[in-house]
Every structure is written in structure tokens, then in C-alpha cells.
Amino acid sequence: MNHEALLDALLTAARKAGAEEADALLVHAQSLSVQRRMGTIEQLERAEGVDIGLRVFLGRRQAIISTTDASEAGFATLAERAVAMAKLVPEDPHGALMDAPAPPPAGPLDLTDTEEPDAEALLARAAAAEEAGLAVTGVTNSEGAGASWGRSQRVLATSRGFMGRYARTSHGVSMTALAGEGTAMQRDYDYASTTHLADLDDAAAIGRRAGEQAVARLNPSRPATAKLPIVYHPRVASSLLGHLAAAVNGASVARGTTFLRGKLGQMILAQGLTVWDDPTRPRGLRSRPFDGEGQPGTRRAIVEDGVLTTWLLDGRSARQLGMASTGHAARGTGGPPSPAPSNLWLVPGALTPEALMADIREGLYVTELIGMGVNGITGDYSRGAAGFMIRDGKLAEPVSEITIAGNLLQIFAHMTPANDLVFRRGTDAPTIRVDGMTLAGA
């Protein structure tokens, strides 16, 4: 199947149907996944499919339509339906295609792996994870272990002359363990996802970590309400960057629905802290040679030395704000582009996690967050949490059924990162300490 030829034919059909401009996105995805629980295979699924999305413009009116039928025979009808829809929608003064950019600079993104595991290999990986978790003393049950492989190709074409393609592979493994009995049971998990199998964590190590983390959470207490330092484990520290990304999203800025509106060029993190976004990082989980509008991505500091330097912009939000796209348009086949980060991370600090909490007489180490109690307009932050108390600089008893609260402006200003950054999730952070937050407990 020649994907470029298909999209060229679809754009031709759109012009014949009356579209003034158009773009088309094709996604060809293949996947294989397995799920195993207590030694029994619960799921073995292979999938393959092609999705195509067409966006047409009539002046400032636009419409989007998608299909899973990749045959050219239906393109004329598909295009006619899209144009008919565009005639009925109101004008969008900021909607338009982006000009075709210069070809992105050649760079070894290295997003595809030649390793393609079969079902037996994935089952063996899931079994290794689950058996290692169950072997941890105190683990009494499993919610299952899984392993997966996938490959996707994305092809984007526009009537302004852009045609681009890239592919990506993925390998994953996960395990969730249960410890204890009855109503006193506790659960925890671990997982890893990479573009290349060679970079994937050992499956047994993932299962063992899940088991050990579940056992460590047994017999939690509920501490008294207090204002104290809170230390975020890396897997939850990344959520703070997620809140930052949402606050600098160009669509939110244009709507005025972000607590960072008006903060461009101002200090929002502690001095010395830098947050990078880089779609060109080799083997990155969100790396790409171009964004959802064909614009090349570049490594840029979202925050540099504590100062907010840019918004995340696609074409539409850039026009609303009188700025230029930053190459952060993300899209699927069924919707328009919208801003989103690529590989986002906080630059690590100099201290180890142990040194970071060494002077904390009483504090909280958070390993799990629950709920999404964040007000994007005011920055008010309140989330359910679980983890461990910190006493005299050391991790102590497990705690649960608590809430941590503050305001993101204050949280950002008082963040101190450790030196343990590992790229695992696309949005990544090291251990982060935040002083002066409120723990609401008993």
C-alpha cells in the first residue's frame, strides 16, 4: 500500500469536491499484546488497521471526516461529505492550513526497532514479571502482568505541498501486585515502555519492584493535618510537569483559562530550574520529525533558569495570540490539531533523593496521587495521596487516605529536584521536593 499516493488521491478528490484547501492524515497501526494473571492467559490480542482523516477548508470554514476504508473508490464520496459539512459550520477566524515548511533537518531519531516479538515471547515476558512479583514475600495476589509490541506509521499531506512520513515502534511490560489479606490488602505497580526492546527494563525487575512496593504499603496510618515538606517520587513528580504543560498550552492561554496567563517572561520556577521540550530526542517516546501540521519541531526550553520563555502553540492558537507556531500541534484522524508537548522533562539537580530529604524532620514522601483536583484558572491544587512519612530524613511508616494541597504558583516556586532523572514516560521528572504544602489527614 502506497500511503503517499493514497493521500495524494484523497486531496485531489477534496479539490474536485470544492474544497479550497485540505490536509489528510493516515495512521497505519499494528499491535500485539498479552495479559496474564495468576499463571493464566487472560488476553492475547493482535490488531492492525488503517485510519484516514480528511480536513477541508472553505474560506474560514472547516470540517473533518475520518474513515477506516483505505480504498480510493470511496474517496470522492468522503470528500463530498466533508465539503457539505464545511458549508454548514460557522467560520473560524483563526483556522487555516500552515504553509509547507522547509524539510526538517536530518537527524537520527531512531524510532523504529527491527525486533518484532511473537506471542510466545510476550507471554514469557509477562510470565517473568508476574512470577517475580508473586515471589516477593508478603505478596498474596496479582492483578496481572502484561507485555506488548506495536508499530505505527503516520503520513501527513497538505494541499500546500507538504508530504511527510515517520514510523515508530513500541515495547512494553507491566505488573500489578497485591499484598496482605482482606480489607487490609494494598496494591502497587510498575511498568516500562520504550521504542526499542534493548532499552526495556528487565521484566522480572519490573515485577519485583511492583511486589516490593505493594508490601511496603501494608498497614498504613493516617497522619495528622500539618504543613510540611512534601517529596514526590519520580512517577508522580512528572504530574507537576503535566500541570505546567496544561498551563502553558496555547489554547488555554488564548481562552484565558490558565493561571499562567500574563506570566510569559516572568519567573515561575525557582531560579536555576529548566524544563526542556524536545521532539528530536533519539528514541524518545514522543519524538517526531514534524508535528500534526507538518511543522518541524525543535528542542526548546519551556522554562529557563526559572523564567517562562514560551507557550506551546499550534497554528490556530498562535494566530489567536499573534505569535508563531512552536511546532506543538498534535492530532488524530478524527479531530483538528491542538497544542501538546513532546518529550518534556525537568533538568535534574545535584543532590541524591536521600540528600534531598536528609534535613526533613517530618515530611511526606508521595508515591501515588488520586483524582484531578486542580483548578487550571486559579492554580489551586488538591489531590488524594498515599506514600510514606519522612522522619529525621528517612522514610518511615506508610500512610494513605490523605490529601495534599497548595497552589501551583507556590508549588512551582518552591520545587527542588534531585539528581535521579530517568526517561520513562514522555513527561519525566526526577524526585522533587516542595516545601510548605499542606497535608490534610486525621
Side-chain angles (χ1 to χ4, degrees), residues 409-432:
L409 283 171
Q410 293 301 312
I411 291 171
F412 289 166
H414 291 87
M415 294 195 318
T416 304
N419 67 352
D420 57 340
L421 176 69
V422 177
F423 294 118
R424 290 175 63 89
R425 296 176 176 85
T427 295
D428 294 288
T431 299
I432 293 176

mmCIF file of all heavy atoms in Angstrom, residues 409-432:
data_model
loop_
_atom_site.group_PDB
_atom_site.id
_atom_site.type_symbol
_atom_site.label_atom_id
_atom_site.label_comp_id
_atom_site.label_asym_id
_atom_site.label_seq_id
_atom_site.Cartn_x
_atom_site.Cartn_y
_atom_site.Cartn_z
ATOM 1 N N LEU A 409 1.295 27.964 41.659
ATOM 2 C CA LEU A 409 2.278 29.044 41.586
ATOM 3 C C LEU A 409 3.290 28.925 42.716
ATOM 4 O O LEU A 409 4.504 29.093 42.517
ATOM 5 C CB LEU A 409 1.580 30.401 41.641
ATOM 6 C CG LEU A 409 0.902 30.872 40.353
ATOM 7 C CD1 LEU A 409 0.066 32.117 40.623
ATOM 8 C CD2 LEU A 409 1.922 31.133 39.258
ATOM 9 N N GLN A 410 2.801 28.595 43.921
ATOM 10 C CA GLN A 410 3.690 28.437 45.061
ATOM 11 C C GLN A 410 4.473 27.127 44.977
ATOM 12 O O GLN A 410 5.661 27.067 45.318
ATOM 13 C CB GLN A 410 2.875 28.488 46.357
ATOM 14 C CG GLN A 410 2.256 29.840 46.639
ATOM 15 C CD GLN A 410 3.304 30.939 46.756
ATOM 16 O OE1 GLN A 410 4.310 30.776 47.452
ATOM 17 N NE2 GLN A 410 3.086 32.058 46.071
ATOM 18 N N ILE A 411 3.799 26.068 44.502
ATOM 19 C CA ILE A 411 4.471 24.775 44.348
ATOM 20 C C ILE A 411 5.621 24.903 43.367
ATOM 21 O O ILE A 411 6.753 24.465 43.637
ATOM 22 C CB ILE A 411 3.458 23.708 43.894
ATOM 23 C CG1 ILE A 411 2.475 23.404 45.033
ATOM 24 C CG2 ILE A 411 4.176 22.431 43.453
ATOM 25 C CD1 ILE A 411 1.312 22.525 44.616
ATOM 26 N N PHE A 412 5.354 25.510 42.199
ATOM 27 C CA PHE A 412 6.409 25.679 41.197
ATOM 28 C C PHE A 412 7.578 26.492 41.754
ATOM 29 O O PHE A 412 8.742 26.201 41.488
ATOM 30 C CB PHE A 412 5.845 26.372 39.953
ATOM 31 C CG PHE A 412 4.917 25.526 39.128
ATOM 32 C CD1 PHE A 412 4.116 26.106 38.158
ATOM 33 C CD2 PHE A 412 4.841 24.160 39.304
ATOM 34 C CE1 PHE A 412 3.260 25.329 37.379
ATOM 35 C CE2 PHE A 412 3.983 23.372 38.533
ATOM 36 C CZ PHE A 412 3.187 23.971 37.568
ATOM 37 N N ALA A 413 7.263 27.519 42.515
ATOM 38 C CA ALA A 413 8.311 28.411 43.020
ATOM 39 C C ALA A 413 9.190 27.754 44.080
ATOM 40 O O ALA A 413 10.292 28.230 44.351
ATOM 41 C CB ALA A 413 7.679 29.679 43.595
ATOM 42 N N HIS A 414 8.695 26.649 44.672
ATOM 43 C CA HIS A 414 9.430 26.021 45.773
ATOM 44 C C HIS A 414 9.876 24.597 45.429
ATOM 45 O O HIS A 414 10.188 23.815 46.336
ATOM 46 C CB HIS A 414 8.578 26.009 47.042
ATOM 47 C CG HIS A 414 8.351 27.381 47.621
ATOM 48 N ND1 HIS A 414 7.314 28.197 47.226
ATOM 49 C CD2 HIS A 414 9.060 28.083 48.542
ATOM 50 C CE1 HIS A 414 7.382 29.342 47.891
ATOM 51 N NE2 HIS A 414 8.424 29.309 48.696
ATOM 52 N N MET A 415 9.966 24.260 44.164
ATOM 53 C CA MET A 415 10.422 22.935 43.774
ATOM 54 C C MET A 415 11.943 22.839 43.829
ATOM 55 O O MET A 415 12.641 23.744 43.376
ATOM 56 C CB MET A 415 9.953 22.576 42.349
ATOM 57 C CG MET A 415 8.459 22.438 42.198
ATOM 58 S SD MET A 415 7.951 21.610 40.658
ATOM 59 C CE MET A 415 9.030 22.327 39.436
ATOM 60 N N THR A 416 12.427 21.710 44.349
ATOM 61 C CA THR A 416 13.861 21.396 44.320
ATOM 62 C C THR A 416 14.014 19.982 43.773
ATOM 63 O O THR A 416 13.541 19.026 44.395
ATOM 64 C CB THR A 416 14.489 21.474 45.719
ATOM 65 O OG1 THR A 416 14.260 22.766 46.282
ATOM 66 C CG2 THR A 416 15.990 21.214 45.638
ATOM 67 N N PRO A 417 14.654 19.800 42.619
ATOM 68 C CA PRO A 417 14.779 18.462 42.039
ATOM 69 C C PRO A 417 16.015 17.725 42.547
ATOM 70 O O PRO A 417 17.041 18.339 42.864
ATOM 71 C CB PRO A 417 14.911 18.750 40.543
ATOM 72 C CG PRO A 417 15.586 20.089 40.487
ATOM 73 C CD PRO A 417 15.115 20.851 41.702
ATOM 74 N N ALA A 418 15.908 16.410 42.594
ATOM 75 C CA ALA A 418 17.053 15.553 42.889
ATOM 76 C C ALA A 418 17.785 15.226 41.591
ATOM 77 O O ALA A 418 17.462 15.750 40.519
ATOM 78 C CB ALA A 418 16.591 14.290 43.606
ATOM 79 N N ASN A 419 18.735 14.314 41.686
ATOM 80 C CA ASN A 419 19.583 14.007 40.525
ATOM 81 C C ASN A 419 19.219 12.699 39.833
ATOM 82 O O ASN A 419 20.016 12.152 39.071
ATOM 83 C CB ASN A 419 21.054 13.948 40.956
ATOM 84 C CG ASN A 419 21.352 12.770 41.883
ATOM 85 O OD1 ASN A 419 20.427 12.073 42.335
ATOM 86 N ND2 ASN A 419 22.622 12.549 42.176
ATOM 87 N N ASP A 420 18.016 12.155 40.091
ATOM 88 C CA ASP A 420 17.681 10.801 39.641
ATOM 89 C C ASP A 420 16.737 10.767 38.434
ATOM 90 O O ASP A 420 15.889 9.873 38.329
ATOM 91 C CB ASP A 420 17.077 9.990 40.788
ATOM 92 C CG ASP A 420 15.831 10.648 41.387
ATOM 93 O OD1 ASP A 420 15.640 11.872 41.200
ATOM 94 O OD2 ASP A 420 15.049 9.950 42.047
ATOM 95 N N LEU A 421 16.877 11.702 37.516
ATOM 96 C CA LEU A 421 16.024 11.707 36.328
ATOM 97 C C LEU A 421 16.289 10.473 35.465
ATOM 98 O O LEU A 421 17.428 10.154 35.150
ATOM 99 C CB LEU A 421 16.279 12.965 35.497
ATOM 100 C CG LEU A 421 15.526 13.052 34.170
ATOM 101 C CD1 LEU A 421 14.033 13.228 34.417
ATOM 102 C CD2 LEU A 421 16.061 14.187 33.305
ATOM 103 N N VAL A 422 15.204 9.787 35.076
ATOM 104 C CA VAL A 422 15.263 8.671 34.129
ATOM 105 C C VAL A 422 14.144 8.891 33.118
ATOM 106 O O VAL A 422 13.000 9.165 33.499
ATOM 107 C CB VAL A 422 15.080 7.312 34.833
ATOM 108 C CG1 VAL A 422 15.072 6.182 33.804
ATOM 109 C CG2 VAL A 422 16.190 7.079 35.859
ATOM 110 N N PHE A 423 14.458 8.768 31.836
ATOM 111 C CA PHE A 423 13.431 8.942 30.804
ATOM 112 C C PHE A 423 12.618 7.663 30.686
ATOM 113 O O PHE A 423 13.084 6.647 30.184
ATOM 114 C CB PHE A 423 14.084 9.293 29.469
ATOM 115 C CG PHE A 423 14.768 10.625 29.458
ATOM 116 C CD1 PHE A 423 16.127 10.723 29.243
ATOM 117 C CD2 PHE A 423 14.052 11.784 29.691
ATOM 118 C CE1 PHE A 423 16.771 11.955 29.236
ATOM 119 C CE2 PHE A 423 14.674 13.027 29.693
ATOM 120 C CZ PHE A 423 16.037 13.109 29.470
ATOM 121 N N ARG A 424 11.354 7.727 31.149
ATOM 122 C CA ARG A 424 10.496 6.536 31.156
ATOM 123 C C ARG A 424 9.118 6.776 30.565
ATOM 124 O O ARG A 424 8.472 5.836 30.126
ATOM 125 C CB ARG A 424 10.312 6.025 32.597
ATOM 126 C CG ARG A 424 11.539 5.419 33.225
ATOM 127 C CD ARG A 424 11.266 5.061 34.688
ATOM 128 N NE ARG A 424 10.233 4.048 34.860
ATOM 129 C CZ ARG A 424 10.462 2.749 34.877
ATOM 130 N NH1 ARG A 424 11.685 2.293 34.694
ATOM 131 N NH2 ARG A 424 9.475 1.896 35.060
ATOM 132 N N ARG A 425 8.624 8.017 30.560
ATOM 133 C CA ARG A 425 7.200 8.198 30.301
ATOM 134 C C ARG A 425 6.851 9.250 29.255
ATOM 135 O O ARG A 425 5.696 9.453 28.977
ATOM 136 C CB ARG A 425 6.499 8.556 31.614
ATOM 137 C CG ARG A 425 6.561 7.443 32.640
ATOM 138 C CD ARG A 425 5.952 7.844 33.969
ATOM 139 N NE ARG A 425 5.938 6.731 34.890
ATOM 140 C CZ ARG A 425 6.946 6.378 35.657
ATOM 141 N NH1 ARG A 425 8.061 7.094 35.644
ATOM 142 N NH2 ARG A 425 6.863 5.327 36.466
ATOM 143 N N GLY A 426 7.788 9.947 28.692
ATOM 144 C CA GLY A 426 7.450 11.025 27.766
ATOM 145 C C GLY A 426 7.427 12.358 28.471
ATOM 146 O O GLY A 426 7.967 13.348 27.968
ATOM 147 N N THR A 427 6.779 12.422 29.648
ATOM 148 C CA THR A 427 6.911 13.551 30.560
ATOM 149 C C THR A 427 7.617 13.030 31.788
ATOM 150 O O THR A 427 7.099 12.149 32.475
ATOM 151 C CB THR A 427 5.538 14.143 30.946
ATOM 152 O OG1 THR A 427 4.912 14.692 29.787
ATOM 153 C CG2 THR A 427 5.687 15.237 31.986
ATOM 154 N N ASP A 428 8.822 13.521 32.049
ATOM 155 C CA ASP A 428 9.673 12.909 33.072
ATOM 156 C C ASP A 428 10.242 13.949 34.016
ATOM 157 O O ASP A 428 10.575 15.062 33.611
ATOM 158 C CB ASP A 428 10.827 12.146 32.413
ATOM 159 C CG ASP A 428 10.328 10.951 31.614
ATOM 160 O OD1 ASP A 428 9.901 9.977 32.232
ATOM 161 O OD2 ASP A 428 10.367 11.018 30.372
ATOM 162 N N ALA A 429 10.363 13.550 35.261
ATOM 163 C CA ALA A 429 10.948 14.417 36.284
ATOM 164 C C ALA A 429 11.724 13.553 37.262
ATOM 165 O O ALA A 429 11.404 12.378 37.468
ATOM 166 C CB ALA A 429 9.858 15.193 37.014
ATOM 167 N N PRO A 430 12.734 14.115 37.893
ATOM 168 C CA PRO A 430 13.390 13.412 38.997
ATOM 169 C C PRO A 430 12.529 13.518 40.250
ATOM 170 O O PRO A 430 11.437 14.093 40.223
ATOM 171 C CB PRO A 430 14.700 14.187 39.150
ATOM 172 C CG PRO A 430 14.347 15.584 38.729
ATOM 173 C CD PRO A 430 13.330 15.427 37.622
ATOM 174 N N THR A 431 13.008 12.967 41.348
ATOM 175 C CA THR A 431 12.385 13.225 42.638
ATOM 176 C C THR A 431 12.341 14.737 42.865
ATOM 177 O O THR A 431 13.306 15.447 42.585
ATOM 178 C CB THR A 431 13.200 12.551 43.759
ATOM 179 O OG1 THR A 431 13.217 11.138 43.543
ATOM 180 C CG2 THR A 431 12.619 12.856 45.129
ATOM 181 N N ILE A 432 11.198 15.240 43.346
ATOM 182 C CA ILE A 432 11.037 16.684 43.567
ATOM 183 C C ILE A 432 10.593 16.936 45.004
ATOM 184 O O ILE A 432 9.650 16.304 45.495
ATOM 185 C CB ILE A 432 10.006 17.290 42.596
ATOM 186 C CG1 ILE A 432 10.520 17.232 41.157
ATOM 187 C CG2 ILE A 432 9.677 18.730 42.979
ATOM 188 C CD1 ILE A 432 9.525 17.728 40.135
#
